[in-house]
Amino acid sequence: MSTESNMPTATPPNHFTSYPRFIFRSLVLATDGSWLFYAWMTLLTAMTLVGVHAWAVQVRDGMILTNMTDQVSWGLYIANFTFMVGVAAGAVMMVIPAYLYRDKEMHDVVIIGEILAVAAMIMCLLFVIVDLGRPDRFWHMLPFIGRFHWPISMLTWDVIVLNGYLLLNLHICGYLLYIRFLGKKPNPKWYIPFVYLSIFWAISIHTVTAFLYCGLGGRPFWNTALLAPRFLASAFVAGPAFLILAMQVIRRFSNFRISDHPMRILVNIIRVAILIGLLMVVSEIFTEFYTGGAHIASAQYLYFGLHGHNALVPWIWTSIACTIIAAFIFMKPNIIKHKWALDVACILAFIGLWIEKGMGLIVPGFVPSTLHEIVEYLPSMTEYKITVGIWAFGLMIFTVGLKIAIPILTEQLSTQQISKQQENEVQLPVNSHAD
Amino acid sequence: MNKYSAQTDQSSHKNVLYKVIYTVICSVFALSVLVMFGTTTEQINNKLPTKGLKDQNFLNKVNYQVSINKPKKSPVVVLEETDFHGRPLTASCTTCHSTRQPNNTLNDSSKLDEFHPDLILNHGQLSCMSCHNAGDYDKLKLANGQTLDYTNVMQLCAQCHGPQHRDYQNGSHGGMQGYWDLSKGPRVRNNCTDCHNPHTPAFQKFRPVFPPDRDLTQEHSFLIDVKSKSIKGNIVEIQENE
Amino acid sequence: MSEESKHSLPVINNGMSRRTLLKGVGATLGASSFAIAIAPIAQWAKDTSVDEFLQQHYKELSSSDLDQVITRLEQDAKDKYGADVTIRDHQPLPDVQFAYALNLSICIGCRRCAEACHQENNHDRATSNSYIRVLEMDKGSLNLEHGKVNYDHPVPADDKFYMPVQCQQCENAPCVNVCPVEATWQEEDGIVVVDYNWCIGCRYCEAACPYHARRFNWKKPEIPKQEINPKQGYLSNRIRPQGVVEKCHFCLHRTRQGQLPACLEACPTGARVFGNVLDPDSEIRWVLENKRVFVLKEELGTKPRFFYFFDE
């Protein structure tokens, strides 16, 4: 057994046999776990299937099933897309300390951030696909096969950076896990350049996504230079907030040891970013309302309602309240010791920014319309179902990713440790059977 | 750098934090430069809308004509009697008016107690005789006293409504049907009285058609109703009034 | 793989068999419920032929390709709507640059142009779609914020003027710039067109257009057979597929044959002026040279081909 597994390290490993084995073991790992895990995955699968069905009906019957109109032509899907780009970009806040500044403890857990980036990126792509009127023509957007309107269309930039970021993170995660699985030391040549590229790339995904909106002269609400910095600031709150929550869950449900140090760095990043974000929101609000004029119509609609239309007012004030409360809790000097408060703060920040970046940013850009018609928008049941489905699918990817990564990283699963791992697995069903 | 990151005290977090912020700013800058390079080149090549506007050597092959709708030769009154074939008989204006004295100063239609009871005159300060020809009621009269056929009524209107007439002649008043390109087909134009009732020339108010809302199923009956009614006032209305 | 199973099987045989079975059942259940969930796609795919799926961009179609496509589309119209239609591919005319002008002094806001557009261009009947929206504006202000589209009282109302807005056929069109797949572009004669068989329906152009000129087919258009306008153009008024964006094309199936656009013919007051700006004797040229024209949202630099003017 041990001689077998030591063989690859002695001679160059045969990737044609070891890689499929890695994939197979990953699949086994991904589908094994406690009853709680099965319940969680079943729930997510069910929610995903609801989303899949709603989407299939939407494709068949047309997007009339959504509440979008020619006036408000983007809704919940693009709102979530924008937010998830931020979450993916926020994950880089683990990569920068880990690789650029060689923070050892962060380096140990950085894979969580990379897996989050992968999951969030896949969600982004799904949110774009469900927003397409003709998903069957997706191939028109592929370079060389279709007609790729690059570099003029900002959306083509977004396609490049989103897919590029997904591939970069898939490569980094895949490579590191595979090498660890082989029980070898990663060769920096094969991943460090990609890590550095991914740092630049993470910033770019959110900047380019902001450019999608702020480059439109006909939409004064979006047409502000502050949009990209605001996006980044909120991304660097939402991403780390989710990561802190994820790390707490991992600590609880696995034997992956995570120290307080990485969390402390993330909390510090959130502290700075959330204040910068709030400052920028205040500057926007001041500029809009002190200047007045026709351009404030959207902001007026968002914050206070316009001519009796106020569908978004409760949303945005919830968001502002959540963000401000979260900012106060984060300011607490030793918040890291108070896990309960930390969790609350992260959840509040996450919800607050989800509203602000989503419904609070995309929808008011369309209200009033370019001809100043006020057509209100709230998502339809189909939109909620599809959105929930994509979220469930994203969480599934994240769970599965962690499920594979953690045993490999904690060296429960490498070629040397396989037998030990299997013994552990035998224990689990017995325990749950007793339940 | 290693020696800082090995520590876990607050100062090391701050250090990392500054570096993180620095990295973000640098990346944003680099990216903006990249995007700008990508997108601005095309803008410069944008052709101007005035391209070749003046110096175009335009070959204007006019094969077809612009024809203007002519009003009836002169209005008639429809009588209750019918002829041999059952068609209603008509009488020209002169039939009655030749036996009556013209009232040159009459400008109030309510004083018409015997004939034209429904006629409403609301056309500036004009009196009947401003346009109608006392010498020949089947003809009109210009301001200089010259007799004018009903078919040339536009000349009469143009005496006062110069700007409108000028716009009409240049195609920006009055509407048209057919071809913009006269080398491919003819064009038909309205005359003034197709749209304006000469006695009450101001456009009558009416319900607009085709409301823009998304779901209009119950409003469709109203649409058809309005559609069937022409908004075009017409000089021949006199017939209907009798 | 084989060596994997060799040493894993004996060890876990007892514990795993049950679990493996459960996994198998779970996977089967999952797969079958996925198949059920996704089933509506199959119903939808029945309506979409392989040819349609693989069709190339308009500019890459050879004339024989295009003939085939048009034959297919005409057959589709017959099969799905029961109408005999003729679809032509109208080419831009040489030495022609179209422009449009609208006299706000005499527009009475009757919305006949919008209605004519609806009928001419085979719009969905249920949604009353039209490329034209007529704004009722306060006299003394050009601020669109005071515009109202769903007025329903006798027109023209006192102290109001009416401003129909449709595609401005911008020279520097934001919608063309943002399209990720080049499904929309400006033709030689200035008309911005959409290839309905290439558009992916992302609606970025709708977000980018400052004039609310674009419309999305939220569902398959429904038109009674007898109301379908059979004279159709490939880039203009043919019945659009579900899920793509469409827009005003200055009735290119008419105007490229020398005819006037449907909205102009419907206008009861003659507020609309259309023509070739390169022709010095054209009406549109006279308006541009003699009236004080303006364009909407000039500050955005879109360079519209649609002009407005007042008499007084």
Side-chain angles (χ1 to χ4, degrees):
Chain A
M1 171 82 185
S2 60
T3 49
E4 255 180 51
S5 51
N6 281 338
M7 259 167 61
T9 50
T11 57
N14 182 357
H15 294 297
F16 287 105
T17 58
S18 57
Y19 197 73
R21 218 172 58 191
F22 164 65
I23 298 288
F24 177 75
R25 284 305 306 171
S26 304
L27 278 177
V28 171
L29 280 180
T31 50
D32 263 352
S34 63
W35 286 112
L36 189 64
F37 168 73
Y38 281 125
W40 170 240
M41 290 303 273
T42 309
L43 177 72
L44 292 182
T45 310
M47 282 156 73
T48 308
L49 287 175
V50 168
V52 166
H53 182 68
W55 177 69
V57 174
Q58 178 192 288
V59 170
R60 185 190 61 192
D61 297 346
M63 299 193 73
I64 191 90
L65 293 176
T66 69
N67 274 353
M68 290 185 270
T69 52
D70 283 324
Q71 281 81 14
V72 185
S73 54
W74 281 340
L76 193 63
Y77 302 145
I78 295 297
N80 275 284
F81 157 77
T82 313
F83 177 73
M84 286 322 290
V85 173
V87 172
V92 82
M93 283 297 144
M94 292 181 88
V95 177
I96 294 178
Y99 290 102
L100 223 45
Y101 304 114
R102 313 236 165 89
D103 186 305
K104 173 80 181 57
E105 285 176 75
M106 188 60 106
H107 194 280
D108 289 342
V109 294
V110 69
I111 195 89
I112 301 173
E114 283 157 351
I115 291 171
L116 175 66
V118 169
M121 228 59 269
I122 290 172
M123 286 172 70
C124 288
L125 296 177
L126 290 176
F127 274 120
V128 171
I129 288 171
V130 299
D131 190 61
L132 292 184
R134 298 297 300 219
D136 55 320
R137 298 184 185 164
F138 191 71
W139 64 274
H140 294 181
M141 237 203 277
L142 301 177
F144 309 113
I145 307 171
R147 279 174 85 97
F148 199 54
H149 196 198
W150 189 82
I152 301 304
S153 171
M154 263 297 133
L155 202 51
T156 58
W157 282 79
D158 219 32
V159 169
I160 293 174
V161 293
L162 295 187
N163 287 297
Y165 193 62
L166 177 61
L167 292 178
L168 276 174
N169 278 293
L170 275 177
H171 167 75
I172 296 167
C173 292
Y175 176 77
L176 287 178
L177 291 179
Y178 176 52
I179 294 299
R180 293 277 203 123
F181 170 76
L182 292 179
K184 298 205 299 176
K185 231 180 126 54
N187 181 352
K189 258 199 296 190
W190 283 102
Y191 76 105
I192 292 294
F194 295 100
V195 168
Y196 287 150
L197 189 58
S198 84
I199 291 171
F200 168 75
W201 215 280
I203 312 293
S204 81
I205 57 170
H206 220 30
T207 315
V208 169
T209 306
F211 288 175
L212 278 186
Y213 310 109
C214 69
L216 304 180
R219 306 273 174 195
F221 185 72
W222 295 340
N223 192 10
T224 155
L226 213 48
L227 202 66
R230 258 183 80 184
F231 270 35
L232 286 173
S234 63
F236 297 152
V237 175
F242 188 86
L243 285 168
I244 290 174
L245 288 173
M247 281 195 252
Q248 309 259 47
V249 174
I250 292 165
R251 269 180 172 179
R252 189 129 176 243
F253 289 99
S254 84
N255 47 2
F256 192 38
R257 287 182 47 78
I258 301 173
S259 72
D260 276 351
H261 173 78
M263 282 197 209
R264 197 170 285 138
I265 289 185
L266 290 178
V267 165
N268 276 344
I269 288 167
I270 292 177
R271 280 174 178 163
V272 175
I274 203 167
L275 288 185
I276 294 178
L278 280 172
L279 172 69
M280 287 196 273
V281 171
V282 170
S283 326
E284 284 274 36
I285 292 178
F286 170 78
T287 315
E288 296 265 28
F289 287 101
Y290 194 79
T291 316
H295 281 189
I296 68 161
S298 292
Q300 175 91 32
Y301 170 71
L302 175 63
Y303 291 107
F304 306 110
L306 191 62
H307 305 311
H309 300 274
N310 46 20
L312 289 184
V313 175
W315 291 74
I316 195 66
W317 287 106
T318 311
S319 157
I320 290 174
C322 285
T323 318
I324 289 176
I325 295 170
F328 269 109
I329 303 178
F330 276 122
M331 287 307 125
K332 204 168 146 53
N334 55 350
I335 173 111
I336 207 79
K337 296 271 176 290
H338 299 82
K339 290 290 173 323
W340 189 80
L342 183 64
D343 290 349
V344 169
C346 287
I347 290 169
L348 285 178
F350 197 74
I351 293 173
L353 291 171
W354 179 78
I355 296 173
E356 192 213 314
K357 290 283 277 309
M359 295 295 283
L361 181 97
I362 302 304
V363 179
F366 292 101
V367 186
S369 81
T370 46
L371 295 184
H372 285 273
E373 288 176 62
I374 301 176
V375 176
E376 297 207 272
Y377 164 85
L378 281 176
S380 71
M381 196 36 88
T382 300
E383 288 175 272
Y384 279 124
K385 279 183 193 163
I386 294 178
T387 304
V388 166
I390 295 177
W391 272 91
F393 187 67
L395 282 173
M396 207 145 74
I397 294 172
F398 188 58
T399 314
V400 166
L402 291 176
K403 206 68 187 123
I404 296 169
I406 290 171
I408 293 179
L409 287 183
T410 51
E411 291 177 346
Q412 290 167 21
L413 185 91
S414 63
T415 36
Q416 290 95 334
Q417 302 284 334
I418 279 175
S419 59
K420 211 174 165 188
Q421 164 77 15
Q422 282 156 354
E423 280 161 27
N424 288 342
E425 280 173 0
V426 178
Q427 302 301 318
L428 284 165
V430 178
N431 288 343
S432 39
H433 190 64
D435 296 340
Chain B
M1 286 183 190
N2 269 330
K3 66 177 183 232
Y4 293 114
S5 47
Q7 300 162 2
T8 49
D9 62 333
Q10 284 289 330
S11 70
S12 95
H13 303 309
K14 292 234 175 73
N15 245 318
V16 170
L17 197 65
Y18 295 145
K19 288 168 182 168
V20 167
I21 293 169
Y22 177 73
T23 314
V24 169
I25 292 170
C26 288
S27 306
V28 170
F29 180 74
L31 184 85
S32 316
V33 170
L34 234 154
V35 173
M36 285 314 292
F37 267 109
T39 48
T40 46
T41 43
E42 187 87 352
Q43 307 271 339
I44 297 160
N45 297 335
N46 253 331
K47 47 187 192 305
L48 293 163
T50 49
K51 184 188 78 174
L53 192 74
K54 290 273 179 193
D55 50 20
Q56 186 72 36
N57 191 4
F58 200 79
L59 294 168
N60 211 1
K61 243 187 0 173
V62 177
N63 302 335
Y64 294 90
Q65 294 300 311
V66 180
S67 55
I68 298 174
N69 285 340
K70 298 259 171 182
K72 290 236 172 100
K73 233 178 157 33
S74 55
V76 287
V77 173
V78 183
L79 305 174
E80 275 167 19
E81 291 84 36
T82 55
D83 71 359
F84 180 73
H85 298 287
R87 289 177 302 214
L89 286 170
T90 57
S92 67
C93 305
T94 336
T95 314
C96 303
H97 281 286
S98 55
T99 65
R100 300 168 76 93
Q101 258 334 314
N103 180 352
N104 280 321
T105 54
L106 181 71
N107 62 357
D108 183 357
S109 50
S110 62
K111 297 204 174 112
L112 295 168
D113 46 6
E114 212 175 336
F115 290 101
H116 305 305
D118 298 331
L119 194 146
I120 297 161
L121 178 64
N122 185 7
H123 192 163
Q125 303 295 314
L126 295 184
S127 63
C128 305
M129 290 301 130
S130 305
C131 304
H132 290 286
N133 193 335
D136 178 357
Y137 275 93
D138 287 326
K139 295 264 164 62
L140 295 167
K141 184 191 76 180
L142 291 177
N144 62 3
Q146 204 183 321
T147 303
L148 185 75
D149 275 344
Y150 270 94
T151 47
N152 297 328
V153 66
M154 291 187 62
Q155 209 181 324
L156 179 77
C157 307
Q159 295 177 122
C160 299
H161 302 286
Q164 282 81 354
H165 186 61
R166 179 202 59 207
D167 286 354
Y168 177 87
Q169 285 182 313
N170 290 292
S172 62
H173 188 118
M176 55 183 81
Q177 255 97 37
Y179 287 76
W180 64 267
D181 183 354
L182 292 174
S183 69
K184 296 208 163 62
R187 192 184 305 163
V188 181
R189 305 212 51 193
N190 298 316
N191 77 72
C192 307
T193 57
D194 281 343
C195 310
H196 298 284
N197 183 332
H199 298 126
T200 50
F203 238 88
Q204 295 300 303
K205 285 186 184 178
F206 65 100
R207 288 293 279 271
V209 299
F210 203 68
D213 303 295
R214 200 172 186 176
D215 186 38
L216 297 158
T217 33
Q218 71 272 40
E219 303 227 36
H220 268 305
S221 52
F222 144 74
L223 275 182
I224 294 156
D225 217 40
V226 178
K227 238 186 283 178
S228 58
K229 266 192 213 159
S230 174
I231 59 147
K232 293 180 180 180
N234 202 318
I235 193 165
V236 196
E237 253 175 44
I238 302 165
Q239 299 175 341
E240 292 157 14
N241 292 343
E242 284 294 324
Chain C
M1 280 278 262
S2 59
E3 85 183 332
E4 173 68 38
S5 50
K6 221 189 291 171
H7 54 73
S8 56
L9 272 174
V11 183
I12 56 168
N13 199 12
N14 297 330
M16 278 298 264
S17 59
R18 205 181 121 109
R19 171 169 292 224
T20 317
L21 185 74
L22 276 176
K23 274 190 193 179
V25 170
T28 318
L29 265 178
S32 49
S33 42
F34 181 80
I36 294 166
I38 201 86
I41 292 269
Q43 295 162 13
W44 167 78
K46 261 190 292 184
D47 277 355
T48 317
S49 65
V50 178
D51 286 345
E52 190 185 333
F53 176 70
L54 292 175
Q55 187 184 323
Q56 287 297 316
H57 189 275
Y58 171 78
K59 289 182 181 172
E60 280 161 23
L61 294 173
S62 68
S63 59
S64 66
D65 288 344
L66 191 64
D67 285 346
Q68 279 183 356
V69 168
I70 284 175
T71 314
R72 193 188 75 220
L73 290 171
E74 287 173 346
Q75 190 57 44
D76 273 3
K78 183 80 189 150
D79 296 345
K80 291 176 189 162
Y81 293 89
D84 291 300
V85 304
T86 327
I87 301 175
R88 282 189 50 197
D89 176 36
H90 306 270
Q91 292 300 313
L93 302 170
D95 298 330
V96 171
Q97 292 280 311
F98 287 125
Y100 215 134
L102 204 150
N103 189 345
L104 294 173
S105 293
I106 58 175
C107 175
I108 51 168
C110 63
R111 288 198 289 247
R112 276 165 181 260
C113 48
E115 188 184 43
C117 176
H118 178 73
Q119 287 158 354
E120 176 72 27
N121 289 312
N122 295 315
H123 280 296
D124 177 43
R125 292 299 185 254
T127 48
S128 279
N129 198 9
S130 169
Y131 297 139
I132 303 172
R133 279 185 105 70
V134 185
L135 296 177
E136 184 181 60
M137 310 268 289
D138 291 338
K139 276 189 181 164
S141 165
L142 266 174
N143 190 347
L144 293 176
E145 204 177 346
H146 303 137
K148 218 179 134 213
V149 288
N150 45 359
Y151 56 91
D152 190 25
H153 49 73
V155 291
D158 301 330
D159 301 324
K160 301 281 183 194
F161 72 94
Y162 297 86
M163 185 156 79
V165 182
Q166 62 204 78
C167 177
Q168 313 277 306
Q169 317 288 358
C170 310
E171 196 70 39
N172 182 19
C175 56
V176 170
N177 288 343
V178 299
C179 179
V181 294
E182 296 177 28
T184 182
W185 65 91
Q186 185 160 44
E187 297 255 293
E188 286 295 301
D189 52 7
I191 299 176
V192 176
V193 294
V194 180
D195 181 352
Y196 310 123
N197 280 28
W198 191 257
C199 171
I200 58 171
C202 71
R203 305 190 299 290
Y204 196 11
C205 52
E206 273 200 302
C209 174
Y211 306 102
H212 187 62
R214 291 190 163 246
R215 303 284 184 275
F216 184 71
N217 285 279
W218 300 97
K219 64 183 185 65
K220 191 175 144 205
E222 284 165 36
I223 317 158
K225 180 172 120 190
Q226 64 280 6
E227 288 181 28
I228 288 177
N229 177 4
K231 287 186 203 157
Q232 303 184 353
Y234 183 82
L235 293 174
S236 60
N237 64 337
R238 69 181 164 101
I239 302 168
R240 273 77 62 190
Q242 172 179 302
V244 303
V245 169
E246 49 169 316
K247 64 181 284 300
C248 164
H249 36 71
F250 277 0
C251 281
L252 68 80
H253 55 285
R254 298 167 64 101
T255 52
R256 283 185 181 169
Q257 304 200 83
Q259 282 178 285
L260 290 160
C263 49
L264 188 146
E265 288 199 343
C267 181
T269 67
R272 290 169 168 268
V273 186
F274 178 83
N276 175 12
V277 276
L278 299 187
D279 176 0
D281 300 325
S282 65
E283 281 88 0
I284 184 73
R285 186 74 172 265
W286 183 84
V287 167
L288 296 185
E289 284 172 2
N290 293 284
K291 297 283 188 180
R292 273 178 290 172
V293 296
F294 66 93
V295 295
L296 282 188
K297 304 195 182 184
E298 189 182 2
E299 70 278 10
L300 298 178
T302 49
K303 299 186 193 161
R305 273 165 191 269
F306 199 103
F307 301 88
Y308 293 91
F309 62 98
F310 288 96
D311 275 343
E312 300 94 35

